[in-house]
Amino acid sequence: SCCRGFTLLETITTLAIFSILAAIAVPIWGTLLPGYQLSAATRQVATEFHSVRNRAMAQYRRFRVVFDSGTTYRVERENTPGAADYTSFGGPKSLPGGVTVASSGTPVFQTRGDASPAANITLSNSKGVTKVVAISSTGRVEIQ
């Protein structure tokens, strides 16, 4: 034969199989997504604190991360060393959807890399699962 292609029956069968697989995958994805978002947000916040600590030591200025709301934060840099006059260092940053944050304090990273006060940053997803990013007074950032 000169013409090759798919028959209508083959096409309908293929679409039916894909529809069944999609019907199975969508509910599973809906239960997994909040966990992925929480893990991503936790890594994002921990990485931000690591970066802020490194900037404080490299630029010899104090830095801090301020949580504006339950879903956004910003990095602030001290303008004059020792004056505690902070200004935004970059725009506000958002957490992944469905994740909220609460902070027990606003740690300020000193020029030696230590932080004051120590704080726990608690992130929660829509399922009520939480993860904590702990900042110690020595400046260590740890996901718990």
Side-chain angles (χ1 to χ4, degrees):
S1 72
C2 70
C3 301
R4 293 200 182 262
F6 296 108
T7 65
L8 182 59
L9 183 59
E10 290 171 329
T11 305
I12 290 173
T13 303
T14 303
L15 288 174
I17 291 171
F18 280 129
S19 298
I20 291 168
L21 291 174
I24 293 169
V26 167
I28 293 171
W29 180 253
T31 58
L32 294 177
L33 188 60
Y36 290 140
Q37 290 171 321
L38 179 60
S39 293
T42 305
R43 283 190 308 275
Q44 176 182 340
V45 169
T47 301
E48 196 72 67
F49 277 110
H50 280 290
S51 175
V52 163
R53 180 175 188 251
N54 290 337
R55 280 192 191 118
M57 291 186 293
Q59 297 182 17
Y60 203 70
R61 301 212 187 240
R62 295 190 293 183
F63 276 78
R64 65 184 182 183
V65 176
V66 178
F67 293 93
D68 298 322
S69 69
T71 59
T72 62
Y73 65 92
R74 68 185 187 283
V75 175
E76 292 184 342
R77 179 184 72 174
E78 186 178 46
N79 287 326
T80 309
D85 55 342
Y86 293 92
T87 57
S88 250
F89 186 79
K93 300 178 183 185
S94 298
L95 295 172
V99 176
T100 56
V101 65
S103 176
S104 67
T106 304
V108 176
F109 285 90
Q110 309 297 323
T111 57
R112 294 181 313 270
D114 54 330
S116 176
N120 287 328
I121 313 304
T122 305
L123 296 109
S124 308
N125 69 10
S126 58
K127 301 277 186 186
V129 179
T130 62
K131 288 193 176 187
V132 175
V133 176
I135 294 91
S136 71
S137 59
T138 60
R140 180 180 173 150
V141 178
E142 182 179 32
I143 296 175
Q144 299 176 338

